[in-house]
Amino acid sequence: MYPQNTPRVPAQRAVEVHQPTPITPAVPVPAPVVPVQPATAPTVASVVLPDGRIVTGYAVSPVQPEPISAKPVVSRAAVNVALGGVGFLAVCGGLLLLTTFITALTALITQLITLAAVLFGGFIAVQVLTASRHSGGGTTVNIRKAVIKRNHFHR
């Protein structure tokens, strides 16, 4: 092994350097510019000022203001409120039908439960009444005059 005072040197490795390859962006080719000749040359106007100077320039047409759009007969807010009211009425109608359906379903279930109780009660009553009329295997005890003396039963 190494002596205690000798520093340890790690093993040298080969260093690899990777350089990224630049990507050249695709430059769109500009369309060729073709000079466009006006269809007709604008007219040149000359004005003679009172002091004798002449001013030459192109005639400028006056700027036309944009036409004012006519206001609609009904405002958009009124239309939106009306449409909202129609939607609300449609929802309320659906809710009314839903509550009516739930009420009818509850009544149907109540009637079915009542019918089941009546049928089951009738079945039990028939069983009890037919069992008391039947005397095939039962024991009959007739008690006539009985005397009870000192906690003893005598016949």
Side-chain angles (χ1 to χ4, degrees):
M1 287 269 169
Y2 296 105
Q4 290 182 349
N5 294 337
T6 308
R8 295 183 186 177
V9 178
Q12 295 284 332
R13 292 188 194 177
V15 177
E16 294 181 22
V17 178
H18 296 281
Q19 295 293 333
T21 322
I23 299 174
T24 56
V27 179
V29 178
V33 178
V34 178
V36 178
Q37 297 292 333
T40 59
T43 57
V44 177
S46 296
V47 177
V48 179
L49 297 177
D51 61 351
R53 292 182 295 163
I54 299 174
V55 178
T56 306
Y58 295 107
V60 178
S61 60
V63 177
Q64 298 282 336
E66 292 186 21
I68 298 174
S69 61
K71 284 191 174 182
V73 177
V74 180
S75 69
R76 286 185 173 266
V79 171
N80 290 338
V81 168
L83 290 176
V86 169
F88 182 73
L89 286 176
V91 168
C92 287
L95 289 176
L96 181 64
L97 289 176
L98 181 65
T99 54
T100 305
F101 174 74
I102 291 173
T103 305
L105 187 64
T106 305
L108 175 68
I109 291 172
T110 305
Q111 288 177 358
L112 288 176
I113 290 172
T114 306
L115 178 66
V118 167
L119 291 177
F120 184 71
F123 176 75
I124 296 297
V126 166
Q127 294 298 320
V128 167
L129 291 175
T130 57
S132 65
R133 289 185 187 166
H134 230 245
S135 61
T139 305
T140 304
V141 177
N142 294 325
I143 300 175
R144 295 186 182 156
K145 294 181 182 177
V147 179
I148 299 175
K149 291 185 179 176
R150 294 185 189 156
N151 295 330
H152 292 288
F153 181 75
H154 299 281
R155 276 198 210 185

